[in-house]
């Protein structure tokens, strides 16, 4: 059967690369049995037509808060539809990053209304009007509503929402509908930032998601790789290495998955048949570089020019440097890119203080004896070459 000789060949190590993307929703969650159990218990009232508890999920980025929540909501939805005693369940997700309460409530109203109905106005109405509308929409449908508010710590005024919403039924705003709030937060101190009034009435169940260790990341990666990669396209030790690196750094599954995907790209570029440890090493270097570049791009123009100025001095072997030396180099750099430089030494020193606080620079104190007094010297915490490279590419893009 010579015509079948090439039929099994793929040009890539990836069977389905999208499985390693941010949008992919895993249908199997591994290594979170305890958290899933706690989640299940917290929400069981939904199955018996009782008021659901409010649930708060805490944990650093990439530890599975969103993935587990979606998984739980699907499972709950399935079970509800199986049981007669359970009221109809409506689950609505909202990422609150940068939201006002008004925007959040508006989004929930629109989510309930769906595509076919008029959107709630973006402006012009009060928050209490928006809440009233939300209650009307809920009551006209009836059943249990779970509002999943992701990144709730980024909500501009969580107190109002967390005071009003959970008490809507006891305050007589809802007759047919029940409501539970599920808040997800990267920030463990979120609860203590709430007003005492809210803390007292919320009665929430808390579930903490800890960072993953290397073994846990290894099983998450193994499960993911099995679906995303062609058979035999990854050495086991490479998965172990990616898991170990991510565990040592952040304990984030997102970071581990990114590392594996990048490792796959590196392996393909080398024409390799499988991802090996050395591909993961190169990938890790690249991911770190990318991170530094993003951080750099987020800085103001003058902040960037100052970092470039220091990088140039360092490349010439002149670090650590004083603010006056930075200023001279900064003026040359600004001239080179045809930018108007800041003119006072004080403004340069302010930038240097900011960049130090952000972790770009390390500052040491120099004592010059009686006459000289104290002054500061600065050096980069980053590889100067990455800074220069990134700066060049930012200027080319612009
Ligand atoms: N226990 C797990 N099992 C399978 N995949 C996981 C698990 N935890 C996290 N992931 C995956 O890791 C990535 C980050 O998880 P996510 O839930 O978005 O983290 P968080 O919301 O805590 O920032 C997603 O791709 C997710 O599917
Ligand atoms: Mg998330």
């Amino acid at each position: 059967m010579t015509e079948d000789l090439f039929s099994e060949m793929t040009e890539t190590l990836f069977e389905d690369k999208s499985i390693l993307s941010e949008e992919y929703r895993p249908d199997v969650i591994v290594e979170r049995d305890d958290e899933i159990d706690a989640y299940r218990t917290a929400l069981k009232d939904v199955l018996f037509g009782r008021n659901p508890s409010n649930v708060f999920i805490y944990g650093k980025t990439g530890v599975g808060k969103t993935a587990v929540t979606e998984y739980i909501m699907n499972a709950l939805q399935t079970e509800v539809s199986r049981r007669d005693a359970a009221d109809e369940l409506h689950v609505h997700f909202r990422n609150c990053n940068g939201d006002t309460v008004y925007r959040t409530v508006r989004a929930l109203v629109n989510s309930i209304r769906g595509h076919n109905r008029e959107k709630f106005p973006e402006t012009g109405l009060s928050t209490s009007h928006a809440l009233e509308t939300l209650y009307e929409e809920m009551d006209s449908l009836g059943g249990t509503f779970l509002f999943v508010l992701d990144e709730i710590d980024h909500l501009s005024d969580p107190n109002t929402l967390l005071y009003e919403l959970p008490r809507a039924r006891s305050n007589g705003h809802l007759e047919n509908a029940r409501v539970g709030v599920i808040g997800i937060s990267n920030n463990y101190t979120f609860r203590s930032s709430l007003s005492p009034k809210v803390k007292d009435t919320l009665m929430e169940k808390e579930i903490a998601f800890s960072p993953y260790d290397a073994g846990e990341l290894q099983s998450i990666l193994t499960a993911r790789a099995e679906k995303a990669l062609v058979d035999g396209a990854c050495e086991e030790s490479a998965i172990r290495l990616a898991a170990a690196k991510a565990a040592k750094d952040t304990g984030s599954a997102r970071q581990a998955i990114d590392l594996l995907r990048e490792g796959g790209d590196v392996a393909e570029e080398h024409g390799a048949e499988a991802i090996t440890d050395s591909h993961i090493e190169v990938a890790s270097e690249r991911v770190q570089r990318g991170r530094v570049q993003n951080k750099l791009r987020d800085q103001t123009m003058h902040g960037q020019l100052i970092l470039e100025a220091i990088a140039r001095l360092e490349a010439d072997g002149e670090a650590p440097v004083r603010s006056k030396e930075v200023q001279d180099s900064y003026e040359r750099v600004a001239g080179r890119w045809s930018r108007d430089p800041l003119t006072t030494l004080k403004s340069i020193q302010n930038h240097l203080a900011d960049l130090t606080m952000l972790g770009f620079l390390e500052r040491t104190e120099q004592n010059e004896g009686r006459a000289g007094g104290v002054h500061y010297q600065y050096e980069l915490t980053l590889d100067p070459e990455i800074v220069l490279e990134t700066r060049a590419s930012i200027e080319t893009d612009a």
Side-chain angles (χ1 to χ4, degrees):
M1 296 237 281
T2 45
E3 66 270 29
D4 272 343
L5 202 56
F6 286 96
S7 66
E8 297 259 297
M9 281 201 87
T10 45
E11 59 165 344
T12 147
L13 301 173
F14 297 105
E15 177 146 354
D16 182 354
K17 201 173 181 180
S18 70
I19 289 176
L20 298 177
S21 76
E22 183 67 41
E23 293 77 45
Y24 178 75
R25 302 276 167 263
D27 42 20
V28 183
I29 299 289
V30 294
E31 305 286 359
R32 282 299 189 206
D33 292 351
D34 293 346
E35 291 80 0
I36 289 174
D37 223 35
Y39 224 139
R40 227 161 38 130
T41 310
L43 291 174
K44 71 171 187 309
D45 285 332
V46 172
L47 298 174
F48 307 107
R50 293 195 290 259
N51 288 332
S53 305
N54 302 306
V55 183
F56 276 69
I57 307 293
Y58 295 95
K60 296 211 172 105
T61 176
V63 296
K65 301 182 300 297
T66 303
V68 169
T69 300
E70 286 176 352
Y71 172 80
I72 288 278
M73 291 306 138
N74 284 334
L76 187 62
Q77 195 67 269
T78 307
E79 189 57 32
V80 162
S81 56
R82 271 197 211 125
R83 294 190 186 220
D84 293 338
D87 291 337
E88 200 181 341
L89 176 64
H90 313 271
V91 181
H92 295 272
F93 287 83
R94 172 69 182 174
N95 188 305
C96 304
N97 199 350
D99 266 6
T100 56
V101 173
Y102 183 86
R103 279 175 57 89
T104 303
V105 175
R106 172 179 181 268
L108 296 177
V109 169
N110 289 339
S111 176
I112 294 173
R113 286 182 173 177
H115 293 300
N116 300 327
R117 291 178 48 205
E118 196 192 343
K119 296 259 173 293
F120 192 78
E122 249 171 77
T123 53
L125 297 175
S126 65
T127 301
S128 56
H129 189 138
L131 274 167
E132 250 168 62
T133 309
L134 179 64
Y135 300 145
E136 278 165 21
E137 296 290 347
M138 292 166 71
D139 243 1
S140 77
L141 284 172
T144 305
F145 285 78
L146 288 178
F147 295 130
V148 181
L149 306 178
D150 208 343
E151 305 199 49
I152 193 169
D153 49 322
H154 289 265
L155 191 63
S156 60
D157 177 19
N159 285 308
T160 319
L161 195 63
L162 292 180
Y163 190 65
E164 297 293 335
L165 207 47
R167 304 166 76 252
R169 193 175 164 97
S170 55
N171 282 347
H173 297 302
L174 295 174
E175 255 174 57
N176 305 320
R178 300 173 189 280
V179 59
V181 174
I182 295 174
I184 303 180
S185 165
N186 287 338
N187 181 354
Y188 286 99
T189 60
F190 174 67
R191 187 175 206 280
S192 58
S193 75
L194 295 173
S195 81
K197 190 172 81 169
V198 173
K199 274 190 268 194
D200 287 349
T201 51
L202 200 51
M203 305 272 289
E204 82 283 18
K205 308 227 158 103
E206 283 183 26
I207 307 173
F209 282 52
S210 50
Y212 291 115
D213 66 23
E216 291 166 337
L217 289 176
Q218 197 181 328
S219 34
I220 292 171
L221 280 186
T222 304
R224 206 51 89 86
E226 231 158 64
K227 291 189 178 158
L229 302 174
V230 170
D231 271 354
C234 188
E235 291 186 355
E236 231 182 272
S237 67
I239 287 192
R240 254 199 318 274
L241 182 61
K245 278 182 177 294
K248 195 167 163 222
D249 190 14
T250 56
S252 150
R254 183 175 297 120
Q255 185 184 21
I257 293 166
D258 286 349
L259 207 46
L260 183 66
R261 188 187 55 242
E262 192 71 36
D265 287 341
V266 174
E268 284 195 340
E269 285 162 28
H270 289 70
E273 278 168 20
I275 306 169
T276 65
D277 289 21
S278 68
H279 300 137
I280 297 294
E281 291 289 359
V282 175
S284 156
E285 171 91 357
R286 258 189 218 175
V287 171
Q288 274 173 34
R289 190 166 279 242
R291 227 193 276 169
V292 170
Q293 290 174 346
N294 288 340
K295 262 176 72 180
L296 211 62
R297 283 173 195 276
D298 286 345
Q299 300 310 305
T300 62
M301 194 237 313
H302 292 295
Q304 287 189 26
L305 294 174
I306 287 171
L307 288 171
E308 180 179 343
I310 300 173
R312 287 185 186 277
L313 292 168
E314 289 201 7
D316 293 340
E318 290 183 32
V321 288
R322 301 177 56 157
S323 55
K324 185 69 188 95
E325 297 168 87
V326 175
Q327 187 180 27
D328 295 342
S329 172
Y330 158 81
E331 282 170 0
R332 288 193 296 274
V333 168
R336 184 193 156 116
W337 301 118
S338 321
R339 297 280 158 72
D340 289 333
L342 301 168
T343 51
T344 64
L345 184 60
K346 185 71 200 145
S347 55
I348 304 295
Q349 286 166 341
N350 288 342
H351 272 288
L352 289 171
D354 287 347
L355 293 167
T356 304
M357 210 180 61
L358 291 168
F360 286 103
L361 300 175
E362 200 167 80
R363 185 171 80 175
T364 44
E365 215 176 84
Q366 289 291 311
N367 203 324
E368 293 207 328
R370 256 185 299 159
V374 176
H375 71 262
Y376 292 121
Q377 291 197 319
Y378 299 88
E379 61 194 310
L380 287 171
T381 58
L382 314 169
D383 182 347
E385 248 180 61
I386 299 183
V387 175
L388 294 176
E389 231 172 66
T390 309
R391 280 289 306 141
S393 80
I394 291 173
E395 292 292 341
T396 326
D397 291 350

